[in-house]
Amino acid sequence: MFFAGVAAAGLALTGCGGGGSSSSNVKPEEDTYVNVTPAVQQTTIEDGEDALIAVIDTEFRTSHEEFEGRIETSYNRQTGGEDVTASVDDEDGIPAYMHGTPVAALAAGNTFGVAGNGKLALFKAGSGGSVRRSYLQEGMKWSAEQDARVANLSFSGGLNALNDADTADALASSVEMEMPDGSFERLGTAIVIAAGNEGESVTDNFDMEKATDDGLLSVLDQTLIAVGSDEWEKYPASNYPGADEDLQARALAAPFVAQSASNTSDDATGTFGGTSIAAPQIAGMVATINSQWPHMSAKETTGLLLDTADQGSELFEKNDCGPDENLNCGNYYLGQGHADLEEALKPQGETAIASSGKVEDGGHALSETQATWSSSFGGSFDTAALEGVVGFDDLGRDYQLDLSSQSHPVMAYGQRLAGRVQKIATAGLNPRPITNEVAPGLSMTSHHTTGGMMGASEVRLDTGTVELAAFGFHQGETALMDPWTPENGMAMLSDGSGGLSHLLSQGAGFAATLSMTDRVAMDVGHWAGSAKRDEDSLYNGYRQARTDVAMRFDATDALELEVGYGQRHEQGGLLGSRGYGALSLGDRSTMGLMSVGANWSMGDYFGLMARYERGQADVAGGPGMIRSIDGLTTEQSALGLTFERDQHEAVFMVSQPLRVTAGTANLDVPVGRDVEGNVIREQRSASLAPNGRQQDVELGYAYAPSVDSRLNVNLLYSNNPDHQDGSDAAGVATFSKRF
């Protein structure tokens, strides 16, 4: 298809003729073209809208099977009717010219068309290989009247035809979109123009100094110039942008040679070459983008294809082209590169999950969105609640996101258990707690780590009526404030606290006991701690505080009963879970806690302890998709038998660690957008209660033959660890001796 230039005093324009000739409609021999680059593959957008492509050309064989169900409308400039079929040669009954048929089929044909969702508006601007410039202008205005998303001009002189105020205004003001305030936004019609086939510079053939502000320049940013490529390089016969930077900025390459429909019969095909063939492939790409995202303007769709063009050609690595041999060769010959629809369909910039009802308001970056769930939830948060979530790129385009990898457990059970095994194994090497009597009734106790550092300290004052204590802890030594620690203080492999206190690195607190009668006492306590970890630590910035009030009753001389109420405050987490971005769990949460307990002294050596705690909260949630959590209920319990005699200590403990027993997360999920930019949201809910319940059985034994030596043994069996199907077992034995 040869760019033949302007003839007849600038009024008649010549099409890029098919089959290697401007007049023949006979299919070329197979060896006419070598190194045939495969045409762009057809892309169909599932549930996408129809996108109208206007093809301004000469004759079309509308009965061809490629066009079945594809032609939306048509107009014949010469007759004023809808019939745009090709004229027939009287001798053999074959249409005399084949240009319009393969061009239209490459844009949106059933087999060859790039735009699987494309519909065609066919404008017959003339017969044979030449049409008047004014007819092309009429065709472009007609395209705008049809609200075509893209108009294809596979004719030489397209830039001259576009340099007209009325034509440019029509193309800029087409495709109206009503906005929520009742106003209308005009998206415009994209224009794709064939560069021509003389192997010459478009800069030399078109004088950009003659481009007018109300003509070509006003729609240049919605125009694409099609360059023909061969195996990702410029096809020798194809024209190219040349030295003008404005033309370089709007040029794209697509295959110069491709198979398409032929005029010879309703199922005929042929191999065709020319920038007339490259242009409809690019037009089909524009339509494909608009079928997925009809809100995008002509400026945005064409700009997107330019921004995502493939610059893999070696020409882009050279800077010795042009008249002065100082221009980038890629820009000079290929413009912005090879049109890459696959890349253009990918998100541009940072994908965000909308936080409001308008796309333009932005949202939470996908890269910053995640939720890590503590063992209390047992992996119960079903990521099916996040199916169909959409994110938006910088152009406001919506994309289906897979958030399953963004929601996961904090740490696997086996990893946490290994950490407790290691802690017990090294705890035996810690120096003994040191208690000093400072004054009558006043004492100070210090706990040290293996390296001799202060781990925890406690000051206690007993007046006989009131007992006061203040304590601080470092290095994660939280046993002083853990109500699930056995009375004898033996370290356990089972995690009665559900891991919550173990998250903390340092903190402080106080406790007070008031004896109200000989058998009744009131306990009050408060502590606060933080997880000051490394900057990239999951729990960096996490804080937790707890306040408790309890009444203790001596039912008998051997049996003590306790009932209490408390509150757990968390900042930056919920039951040790953390959420960020669109999966934020909120900044703060407060859970009310009811507890009952008993201590029974069974003679001189044995004791029995029991404790049950139930928590309940309604959580406001965060600014992301998890807007609230209703009816969050937790339970945990422990029953332990203790033994202590001479150098021997033992604990047999059966416990059920912290578990969410009820709770519903209410989600407000973005699932799409409309053309006006309103986010379509869907209300969903997800249960947070796991199906299983973890049960731990542990035996701990310690033997201290002297004050300087100690043997520790712990054996643990867990059924349904982390409240999920399965079982696990662990054991640790240590012997330490001070020399």
Side-chain angles (χ1 to χ4, degrees):
M1 300 179 183
F2 298 98
F3 184 96
V6 180
L11 296 180
L13 306 179
T14 303
C16 305
S21 169
S22 61
S23 58
S24 171
N25 61 8
V26 180
K27 176 183 174 183
E29 296 298 327
E30 292 298 330
D31 60 355
T32 300
Y33 300 108
V34 295
N35 298 328
V36 176
T37 304
V40 178
Q41 295 297 310
Q42 184 176 80
T43 301
T44 301
I45 304 299
E46 185 177 354
D47 299 325
E49 295 190 9
D50 291 342
L52 190 62
I53 305 173
V55 179
I56 304 164
D57 219 287
T58 53
E59 297 90 344
F60 303 91
R61 188 178 187 109
T62 55
S63 60
H64 199 288
E65 61 185 14
E66 278 294 296
F67 301 131
E68 184 178 353
R70 291 283 183 165
I71 300 176
E72 189 79 14
T73 185
S74 59
Y75 182 75
N76 188 324
R77 165 62 183 77
Q78 295 170 307
T79 66
E82 296 182 356
D83 185 5
V84 294
T85 56
S87 57
V88 176
D89 188 305
D90 291 336
E91 294 184 4
D92 54 16
I94 297 175
Y97 195 66
M98 63 172 63
H99 195 262
T101 299
V103 169
L106 277 171
N110 286 317
T111 304
F112 300 108
V114 171
N117 303 85
K119 294 289 186 178
L120 291 167
L122 304 179
F123 185 91
K124 182 178 178 180
S127 299
S130 300
V131 297
R132 291 181 177 273
R133 180 188 302 170
S134 62
Y135 292 177
L136 290 184
Q137 291 169 344
E138 289 184 35
M140 287 188 278
K141 294 174 187 176
W142 179 83
S143 302
E145 291 173 1
Q146 309 310 310
D147 279 341
R149 301 315 302 261
V150 56
N152 184 89
L153 277 78
S154 290
F155 279 87
S156 63
L159 291 175
N160 283 308
L162 190 55
N163 194 27
D164 171 73
D166 291 340
T167 303
D169 181 67
L171 293 166
S173 59
S174 60
V175 193
E176 290 185 340
M177 180 179 71
E178 186 175 2
M179 303 303 290
D181 60 2
S183 63
F184 288 87
E185 181 177 336
R186 301 179 186 276
L187 303 180
T189 297
I191 311 106
V192 182
I193 299 174
N197 310 316
E198 296 173 335
E200 297 176 351
S201 162
V202 178
T203 299
D204 295 338
N205 288 329
F206 177 79
D207 187 358
M208 280 296 290
E209 292 185 1
K210 294 182 180 180
T212 59
D213 291 338
D214 59 353
L216 175 61
L217 294 182
S218 67
V219 290
L220 189 60
D221 56 1
Q222 64 191 69
T223 301
L224 296 173
I225 302 169
V227 177
S229 64
D230 174 24
E231 293 188 343
W232 311 105
E233 302 299 328
K234 187 188 81 67
Y235 195 91
S238 173
N239 286 359
Y240 51 92
D244 188 272
E245 292 183 357
D246 289 332
L247 295 176
Q248 290 179 6
R250 305 307 301 180
L252 276 177
F256 185 91
V257 178
Q259 283 192 321
S260 188
S262 174
N263 265 12
T264 55
S265 68
D266 287 348
D267 60 357
T269 63
T271 302
F272 305 90
T275 56
S276 284
I277 292 302
Q281 296 178 68
I282 295 174
M285 297 182 194
V286 174
T288 299
I289 295 171
N290 278 132
S291 70
Q292 175 79 315
W293 299 289
H295 71 277
M296 293 184 67
S297 68
K299 295 178 182 179
E300 290 174 326
T301 52
T302 57
L304 175 63
L305 283 170
L306 291 164
D307 291 340
T308 57
D310 186 337
Q311 295 190 350
S313 170
E314 293 182 356
L315 289 172
F316 287 97
E317 300 175 5
K318 301 177 181 179
N319 296 291
D320 55 359
C321 291
D324 299 324
E325 298 184 349
N326 62 347
L327 300 178
N328 180 267
C329 297
N331 296 144
Y332 189 78
Y333 288 111
L334 297 174
Q336 297 308 301
H338 201 285
D340 189 341
L341 178 58
E342 182 179 355
E343 191 65 28
L345 293 175
K346 295 178 181 178
Q348 301 300 304
E350 179 72 79
T351 304
I353 301 170
S355 58
S356 71
K358 296 292 294 183
V359 175
E360 63 188 23
D361 293 339
H364 307 282
L366 177 61
S367 61
E368 298 175 357
T369 292
Q370 67 167 316
T372 53
W373 301 93
S374 68
S375 60
S376 305
F377 291 88
S380 59
F381 186 80
D382 188 0
T383 54
L386 303 178
E387 290 180 356
V389 176
V390 302
F392 299 93
D393 71 353
D394 288 350
L395 297 175
R397 300 185 297 172
D398 52 313
Y399 290 87
Q400 294 278 343
L401 301 177
D402 181 6
L403 296 183
S404 58
S405 61
Q406 312 292 105
S407 178
H408 50 81
V410 172
M411 186 181 293
Y413 174 82
Q415 290 178 284
R416 300 198 317 277
L417 181 59
R420 293 198 297 274
V421 168
Q422 183 178 15
K423 187 171 183 178
I424 290 180
T426 57
L429 304 176
N430 292 354
R432 298 286 187 192
I434 300 174
T435 301
N436 295 315
E437 295 290 336
V438 179
L442 179 64
S443 63
M444 176 179 289
T445 302
S446 300
H447 301 255
H448 295 82
T449 64
T450 305
M453 299 177 63
M454 180 74 74
S457 59
E458 180 183 28
V459 177
R460 184 172 295 274
L461 174 63
D462 188 354
T463 67
T465 303
V466 177
E467 186 175 351
L468 302 174
F471 59 87
F473 63 91
H474 304 272
Q475 314 299 322
E477 296 291 334
T478 59
L480 287 175
M481 62 184 193
D482 192 344
W484 302 92
T485 301
E487 287 290 316
N488 59 12
M490 180 174 291
M492 304 294 288
L493 282 174
S494 54
D495 186 10
S497 71
L500 291 184
S501 62
H502 295 168
L503 300 176
L504 306 175
S505 177
Q506 60 184 15
F510 70 87
T513 298
L514 173 64
S515 297
M516 305 179 70
T517 69
D518 291 343
R519 290 187 174 273
V520 179
M522 181 174 66
D523 296 327
V524 178
H526 175 81
W527 56 261
S530 62
K532 287 190 176 180
R533 308 288 178 88
D534 297 334
E535 286 295 325
D536 58 350
S537 170
L538 173 64
Y539 282 95
N540 183 47
Y542 174 78
R543 294 183 61 83
Q544 185 185 148
R546 177 164 174 157
T547 302
D548 287 283
V549 177
M551 299 296 296
R552 286 188 288 114
F553 309 88
D554 290 337
T556 68
D557 291 341
L559 178 62
E560 179 185 74
L561 303 177
E562 178 182 315
V563 59
Y565 174 79
Q567 287 188 339
R568 179 193 296 118
H569 306 274
E570 291 179 87
Q571 181 177 329
L574 175 64
L575 298 179
S577 302
R578 305 204 79 184
Y580 306 89
L583 293 177
S584 170
L585 301 175
D587 295 330
R588 300 173 184 273
S589 64
T590 298
M591 173 168 280
L593 304 165
M594 293 292 298
S595 63
V596 294
N599 290 298
W600 183 22
S601 178
M602 303 166 60
D604 295 334
Y605 309 122
F606 290 94
L608 187 68
M609 61 162 287
R611 184 176 178 86
Y612 171 82
E613 186 173 271
R614 186 176 189 272
Q616 190 164 7
D618 290 320
V619 183
M625 293 186 296
I626 303 176
R627 296 301 172 93
S628 66
I629 297 176
D630 296 337
L632 185 64
T633 305
T634 64
E635 288 183 347
Q636 59 189 124
S637 61
L639 179 65
L641 178 65
T642 62
F643 171 80
E644 187 171 358
R645 181 178 182 182
D646 299 331
Q647 298 95 351
H648 301 274
E649 297 177 7
V651 175
F652 180 75
M653 183 81 73
V654 178
S655 61
Q656 294 179 336
L658 185 67
R659 173 183 182 266
V660 172
T661 55
T664 301
N666 301 305
L667 293 87
D668 187 23
V669 180
V671 294
R673 60 161 291 164
D674 61 19
V675 292
E676 289 86 10
N678 299 308
V679 179
I680 301 171
R681 309 189 75 95
E682 185 175 284
Q683 306 301 311
R684 301 178 182 177
S685 61
S687 173
L688 297 176
N691 294 323
R693 181 185 292 275
Q694 180 176 335
Q695 294 177 320
D696 294 338
V697 179
E698 182 172 2
L699 173 64
Y701 170 73
Y703 172 61
S706 69
V707 295
D708 294 321
S709 58
R710 184 179 178 88
L711 171 67
N712 284 276
V713 177
N714 289 80
L715 300 174
L716 170 67
Y717 172 78
S718 291
N719 186 42
N720 295 329
D722 282 352
H723 314 298
Q724 300 180 62
D725 290 342
S727 61
D728 207 339
V732 59
T734 63
F735 177 76
S736 58
K737 182 176 178 60
R738 183 184 293 112
F739 294 96

